[in-house]
Structures are given as C-alpha cells and as structure tokens.
Amino acid sequence: KQEVTQIPAALSVPEGENLVLNCSFTDSAIYNLQWFRQDPGKGLTSLLLIQSSQREQTSGRLNASLDKSSGRSTLYIAASQPGDSATYLCAAHSSASKIIFGSGTRLSIRP
Amino acid sequence: DARVTQTPRHKVTEMGQEVTMRCQPILGHNTVFWYRQTMMQGLELLAYFRNRAPLDDSGMPKDRFSAEMPDATLATLKIQPSEPRDSAVYFCASGLPRGVNTEAFFGQGTRLTVV
C-alpha cells in the first residue's frame, strides 16, 4: 500500500529565501509524482507533474525533482515571496490512475 | 476556461439527511476522482472512475456512501444517511490519461457540515 509522507508539516521562512519541500513515498512503482498548492478554504492547484521517466520539471521559480529509487521528491522554490504562502501537497500516481496524497507542508513566507 | 465544477460549494444538513454532491469534470476528461479532506486525515481517496465505470471505491464507506456517473458530464457522490463524522470538504478531480500519465485537476470542493 502506497504511503506518502511530507516533512516538515509546517515551515516559516523570510521573504527572498530559497527553500525545499520534501516528499517521500513507500512504493517506488509510481507512474507520476504531482505537486499541488492549496490556499486556505480553496481547492487544489496543480503546480508540476513529473513523469516516472523524468527526473525533474521546472515552472518559473519552481523546480520539482523525482528520485524513484530512493522514493523521494523535492519541490524547490526560489526567491520566495509572501504570495507563495500556502499548503503544498505532493501526490503519487500509482497504477490505474490511483493518486495518493501526502498530508502537506504548510508554508508561510514572512515579509 | 476549462475547470472542474462542484456544487454545492457549501452544505449544512442535519444528521440522518441525504446529501448529494455533484461534479462536472472538464470536458473530454474520462477519469474522475472523489476525495475527502479533513484536518485529521488529510486528503483521502474515496473512489475513482474511468469512462464512467468505477475502478476503485475501496476508500468509501459502502454502507452509506455511493458514487455514480450518470453520464460523462456528471459525477455524483451521495451520503445516506449522513452523520456528523462525514463533515469534511469533498473534492472532485478529473483527468485524461496520456499513456500511463494522468494529471489531475481539482474542483473547488464542497464543504459539508453535518449537525
């Protein structure tokens, strides 16, 4: 059974810092790893999707990496801004499109 | 602007009442997911469909929950009878598999409160 873990549960950093969010999964037989952002009281917004054959994906200030052999993914945010404050969730896609989520990292960027 | 639409956005109901949540997936998407989010459990997969057929509903309490796709443009999640422990935000997501890859797009959720 796939389990997805995100550490830390919460993170607070000053504006402008680069930061890394971590995600680990127990079953390396995944198809994709997807990162989402969730603002309070809102739905989930897809940030990046890394296919199992890829090692990383980039979008603007975001870079996500995937290491299937070690069961880890990281989301790197460069030059953080207060608008980046949100909960970030990673999700592992198993066979037949089953998507399992981690519990999220609540990120706060201090002005 | 293609997006997943969920109705209602908020629902308050009394224990024992029937609750029906609706989801309109993005046009052309053939995979639909239902998730429940609570503070304690995070996001839990309840069920998902491919081409309107349920592929996995093992995460859903069968005695009171049911999920259907009457047609390709509508997915429903029903709770009967509802209980206070069902209070949560229910999300619907849709996707279109490309090979083995399915990127999921989420709706805004239905916030359910059972009193």
Side-chain angles (χ1 to χ4, degrees), chain B residues 23-75:
Chain B
C23 168
Q24 181 177 355
I26 293 173
L27 188 64
H29 284 188
N30 68 350
T31 305
V32 174
F33 307 85
W34 281 105
Y35 284 87
R36 174 172 62 185
Q37 187 176 39
T38 62
M39 287 293 293
M40 294 300 295
Q41 300 295 329
L43 269 162
E44 301 173 278
L45 178 63
L46 298 175
Y48 67 101
F49 294 74
R50 174 76 53 82
N51 296 322
R52 297 175 56 197
L55 289 188
D56 189 339
D57 59 3
S58 59
M60 199 166 66
K62 303 289 192 308
D63 57 337
R64 299 183 299 107
F65 285 61
S66 61
E68 296 179 343
M69 283 199 72
D71 60 60
T73 64
L74 177 64

Side-chain angles (χ1 to χ4, degrees), chain A residues 31-32 34 36 38 41-46 48-49 51-52 89 93 95-103, chain B residues 9 31 33 35 37 42-43 45 48 50 55-56 58 91 97 100-109 111:
Chain A
Y31 285 88
N32 309 305
Q34 191 168 1
F36 293 86
Q38 185 175 30
K42 304 290 186 182
L44 280 73
T45 301
S46 178
L48 289 163
L49 175 78
Q51 299 174 19
S52 61
L89 297 120
H93 295 221
S95 61
S97 299
K98 193 167 186 175
I99 305 175
I100 305 299
F101 280 82
S103 54
Chain B
R9 291 292 309 278
T31 305
F33 307 85
Y35 284 87
Q37 187 176 39
L43 269 162
L45 178 63
Y48 67 101
R50 174 76 53 82
L55 289 188
D56 189 339
S58 59
F91 286 103
V100 297
N101 304 309
T102 303
E103 185 171 4
F105 296 87
F106 279 71
Q108 293 297 299
R111 183 176 296 275

